């Protein structure tokens, strides 16, 4: 299995531009999580989906951020317009979330976003 | 979810056991203890979890005190590749599907040296 795939791995953009981060979860996993990591705030959960439905988006910082999961094998996190304070590493994770047992979260390699 | 307290950093000699403590004095009866680690520039990686019994797998052992107010992650023979930030997380495992989010604290930076 290729694991969780994220693209791009690095993104440099200018303030005001739209940024789209992409994630392909592990095949068969039904939960998907988006995290953001900065030196100041550590690793924060932004939003997570279960069976393609957003369950909790309370961590999304503001309306400039949006996330979609159109099908079980693809999710996007979009920032529009981007700001320098959005610079961070964004991680996607997936897990097999069943009511009957524990399943670990598998993290992707992350996308390092720099907004100039 | 219960709050956890971990030392900011620890050092360990290669080949020795690394014992990483975690305090969770407000843990409730149905909350599990999870450990993840994050090697520099990589995404976090699951290590182990437990409720009240000690647990062991191929990566580590988890020792939970009888009152469950603290736990210790043990890497029996630390190597340089174990240098990472180790996160102790306490939370309920929700048995309804779709609710198992993780809240990461600041963790312990473990440095394994020759």
């Amino acid at each position: 299995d290729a694991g969780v795939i994220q693209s791009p791995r690095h993104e440099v953009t200018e303030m005001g531009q739209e940024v789209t981060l992409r994630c392909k979860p592990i095949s068969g996993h039904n939960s998907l999580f988006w995290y953001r990591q900065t030196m100041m705030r550590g690793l924060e959960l932004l939003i997570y989906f279960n069976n393609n439905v957003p369950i909790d988006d309370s961590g999304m910082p503001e309306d400039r951020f949006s996330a979609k999961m159109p099908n079980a094998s693809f999710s996007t996190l979009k920032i529009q317009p981007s700001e320098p304070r959005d610079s961070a590493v964004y991680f996607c994770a997936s897990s097999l979330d069943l009511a009957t047992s524990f399943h670990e979260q598998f993290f992707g390699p992350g996308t390092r976003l720099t907004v100039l | 979810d219960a709050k956890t307290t971990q030392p900011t950093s620890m050092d360990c000699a290669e080949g020795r056991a690394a014992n990483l403590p975690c305090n969770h004095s407000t843990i409730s009866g149905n909350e599990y203890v999870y450990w993840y680690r994050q090697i520099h520039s990589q995404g976090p990686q699951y290590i182990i979890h437990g409720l009240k019994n000690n647990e062991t797998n191929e990566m580590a052992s988890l020792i939970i005190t009888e009152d469950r107010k603290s736990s210790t992650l043990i890497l029996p023979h630390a190597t340089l590749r174990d240098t990472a930030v180790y996160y102790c997380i306490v939370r309920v495992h929700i048995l309804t599907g779709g609710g198992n989010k993780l809240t990461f604290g600041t963790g312990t930076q473990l440095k394994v040296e020759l």
Side-chain angles (χ1 to χ4, degrees), chain A residues 23-41:
Chain A
C23 176
K24 177 179 169 55
I26 292 173
S27 177
H29 283 188
N30 62 337
S31 280
L32 184 139
F33 307 80
W34 281 102
Y35 292 86
R36 176 174 68 174
Q37 186 169 37
T38 62
M39 287 293 292
M40 291 295 295
R41 301 176 66 89

Side-chain angles (χ1 to χ4, degrees), chain A residues 54-112:
Chain A
I55 301 299
D56 184 348
D57 66 354
S58 59
M60 295 286 262
E62 49 196 274
D63 291 346
R64 297 185 297 107
F65 286 69
S66 63
K68 294 183 179 180
M69 192 163 187
N71 57 62
S73 59
F74 184 66
S75 176
T76 60
L77 178 67
K78 185 176 294 186
I79 308 172
Q80 166 64 18
S82 59
E83 297 182 3
R85 60 192 169 121
D86 301 329
S87 297
V89 180
Y90 291 80
F91 289 103
C92 175
S94 71
S95 74
L96 180 61
D97 199 332
L98 301 175
T100 56
S101 59
F102 165 82
H103 290 274
E104 67 195 85
Q105 288 186 25
F106 292 83
F107 284 75
T111 294
R112 181 173 295 277

Side-chain angles (χ1 to χ4, degrees), chain B residues 43-97:
Chain B
Q45 174 192 24
Y46 165 80
I47 302 172
I48 199 168
H49 78 285
L51 181 62
K52 50 186 175 182
N53 296 323
N54 297 337
E55 303 288 337
T56 296
N57 62 22
E58 65 279 4
M59 289 183 69
S61 294
L62 175 60
I63 308 298
I64 302 174
T65 58
E66 194 169 340
D67 62 8
R68 304 209 322 122
K69 293 185 177 182
S70 66
S71 60
T72 302
L73 178 74
I74 301 172
L75 308 178
H77 305 287
T79 71
L80 298 178
R81 288 176 294 180
D82 293 321
T83 293
V85 177
Y86 288 77
Y87 298 97
C88 171
I89 301 165
V90 173
R91 59 148 299 134
V92 175
H93 178 63
I94 297 175
L95 297 180
T96 55

